[in-house]
């Protein structure tokens, strides 16, 4: 069963000035989304979600990855990344989770970028025009706080009650004028082992 995609969505936000000061270079936050029919809609409680995950997740993972790379101008331009899903009100939160928390979805993006970190995420249930927030982190280093950012958008007519919005996000750099350091310096200051931050 192929994904029944109603529409795609692409948002590009470019920051030129932050804090009253020109950015060293323009920062692009890119959000790409698909609005698709919830493959479990109208079927009651479905015990085994795997058939639809295997059929749908790879297709939308590949499509969204291609949209991000085209908008960014190539994989080398993307420094931070993340993912999100919103399931419509007739669906289960598990349906949103199912399509983004599988390597069949995320590995398209991760491998295209040569990324090492996990994809930060949000997944919620909501009506059309639900705010969609995509947390972003450095694709190689989760402790690099300069790249902690959030892509933020909404789609006025999605998700419908029996739809899911699935999205990927990207940033072409860190926050302009970032100046809060990184977690490694905090760990050193606190006397923690950087390789074992929880001291376990």
């Amino acid at each position: 069963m192929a994904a029944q995609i109603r529409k795609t969505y692409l948002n590009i936000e470019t920051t030129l000035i932050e804090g009253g000061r020109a950015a060293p270079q323009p920062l692009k936050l890119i959000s790409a989304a698909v609005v698709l029919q919830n493959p479990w809609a109208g079927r009651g409680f479905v015990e085994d979600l795997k058939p639809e995950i295997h059929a749908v997740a790879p297709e939308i993972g590949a499509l969204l990855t291609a949209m991000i790379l085209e908008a960014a101008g190539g994989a080398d331009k993307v420094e931070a990344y993340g993912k999100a899903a919103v399931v419509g009100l007739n669906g289960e939160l598990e349906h949103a989770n199912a399509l983004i928390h599988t390597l069949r979805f995320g590995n398209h993006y991760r491998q295209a970028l040569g990324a090492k970190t996990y994809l930060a995420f949000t997944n919620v249930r909501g009506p059309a025009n639900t705010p969609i927030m995509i947390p972003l982190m450095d694709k190689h280093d989760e402790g690099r706080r300069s790249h902690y950012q959030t892509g933020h958008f909404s789609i006025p007519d999605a998700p419908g009650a029996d739809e899911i919005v699935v999205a990927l996000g990207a940033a072409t750099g860190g926050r302009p004028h970032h100046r809060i350091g990184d977690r490694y310096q905090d760990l050193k200051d606190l006397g923690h082992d950087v390789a074992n931050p929880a001291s376990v």
Side-chain angles (χ1 to χ4, degrees), residues 78 106 113 142:
V78 175
L113 298 182
E142 66 272 10

Side-chain angles (χ1 to χ4, degrees), residues 28 30 65 67-82 109 112-115 119 136-140 144 147 169-174:
K28 286 186 179 181
I30 303 166
T65 297
M67 291 172 65
I68 291 282
L69 296 185
E70 181 178 2
D76 60 315
K77 301 293 194 300
V78 175
E79 295 188 11
Y81 71 160
Y109 197 23
L113 298 182
L119 277 157
L136 307 175
M137 69 163 62
D138 187 282
K139 66 181 182 180
H140 296 314
R144 192 179 180 198
H147 285 56
T172 58

Side-chain angles (χ1 to χ4, degrees), residues 15-108:
T15 299
L16 305 174
I17 298 172
E18 180 67 23
R21 180 178 294 183
Q25 59 185 26
L27 169 68
K28 286 186 179 181
L29 293 184
I30 303 166
S31 301
V34 293
V35 179
L36 69 151
Q37 178 70 23
N38 182 337
W40 301 283
R43 295 171 53 190
F45 187 89
V46 178
E47 187 68 40
D48 184 6
L49 304 180
K50 283 185 180 178
E52 292 77 20
I53 292 171
H54 293 184
V56 173
E59 179 184 352
I60 59 177
L63 172 59
L64 290 171
T65 297
M67 291 172 65
I68 291 282
L69 296 185
E70 181 178 2
D76 60 315
K77 301 293 194 300
V78 175
E79 295 188 11
Y81 71 160
K83 62 185 177 181
V86 180
V87 65
L89 294 177
N90 287 351
E92 295 178 47
L93 191 55
E94 194 71 356
H95 299 161
N97 283 278
L99 294 182
I100 66 170
H101 295 305
T102 170
L103 297 180
R104 290 170 171 82
F105 173 76
N107 271 3
H108 286 279

Side-chain angles (χ1 to χ4, degrees), residues 84-172:
V86 180
V87 65
L89 294 177
N90 287 351
E92 295 178 47
L93 191 55
E94 194 71 356
H95 299 161
N97 283 278
L99 294 182
I100 66 170
H101 295 305
T102 170
L103 297 180
R104 290 170 171 82
F105 173 76
N107 271 3
H108 286 279
Y109 197 23
R110 190 176 295 106
Q111 291 170 359
L113 298 182
K116 299 175 183 176
T117 57
Y118 68 89
L119 277 157
F121 65 91
T122 58
N123 32 245
V124 300
R125 178 170 44 229
N129 213 35
T130 292
I132 300 171
M133 295 190 175
I134 308 177
L136 307 175
M137 69 163 62
D138 187 282
K139 66 181 182 180
H140 296 314
D141 183 353
E142 66 272 10
R144 192 179 180 198
R145 290 182 181 146
S146 58
H147 285 56
Y148 293 175
Q149 301 171 86
T150 305
H152 186 193
F153 66 96
S154 62
I155 303 175
D157 67 344
D162 291 331
E163 292 182 325
I164 304 175
V165 177
V166 177
L168 290 177
T172 58

Side-chain angles (χ1 to χ4, degrees), residues 4 105 182 199:
Q4 297 181 52
F105 173 76
D182 60 40
S199 298

